Amino acid sequence: MSYIKAADILPQELIDQLQQYVDGKCIYIPRKESNRKSWGENTQYKETLLARNKEIYRRYREGTSVFSLADQYYLSPKTIQKILARMRG
């Protein structure tokens, strides 16, 4: 997320009103509900994680242990178990 100077986009009257509440502080203004995107929609990260999880599941079914998978993927055994449960389900 990048910052935009209020003076570049807002009328001075609105800046004056905002300064009564948050003088010199940063605030977050959320998107309208209709403009929100789901997690991972802007990047390919969701697909990357799904491919990784499918690979973990495939390797587990081929006999790789949970602890070995945890070491290889730098995840905890508990996280590997959760991934396996999701992939089975």
Side-chain angles (χ1 to χ4, degrees):
M1 174 174 43
S2 61
Y3 293 97
I4 300 171
K5 291 176 92 178
D8 291 344
I9 62 168
L10 299 175
Q12 187 59 46
E13 301 82 39
L14 182 53
I15 293 172
D16 293 340
Q17 288 180 339
L18 288 169
Q19 285 173 328
Q20 292 177 19
Y21 300 96
V22 288
D23 190 24
K25 295 185 180 176
C26 295
I27 62 170
Y28 171 75
I29 301 172
R31 288 185 172 274
K32 291 180 182 179
E33 191 67 37
S34 61
N35 294 335
R36 289 189 181 173
K37 295 181 179 181
S38 64
W39 179 83
E41 193 173 340
N42 288 338
T43 65
Q44 298 300 315
Y45 196 61
K46 190 183 271 189
E47 289 81 11
T48 301
L49 285 181
L50 180 59
R52 181 205 66 184
N53 292 349
K54 284 180 179 180
E55 177 69 13
I56 288 171
Y57 185 61
R58 181 189 65 75
R59 293 182 67 196
Y60 176 77
R61 291 189 59 184
E62 290 175 352
T64 306
S65 73
V66 168
F67 291 104
S68 180
L69 289 167
D71 285 342
Q72 291 168 14
Y73 287 93
Y74 303 100
L75 298 169
S76 71
K78 185 77 169 172
T79 298
I80 295 293
Q81 290 170 343
K82 288 179 183 179
I83 290 169
L84 296 174
R86 269 188 249 122
M87 297 307 291
R88 283 186 204 116

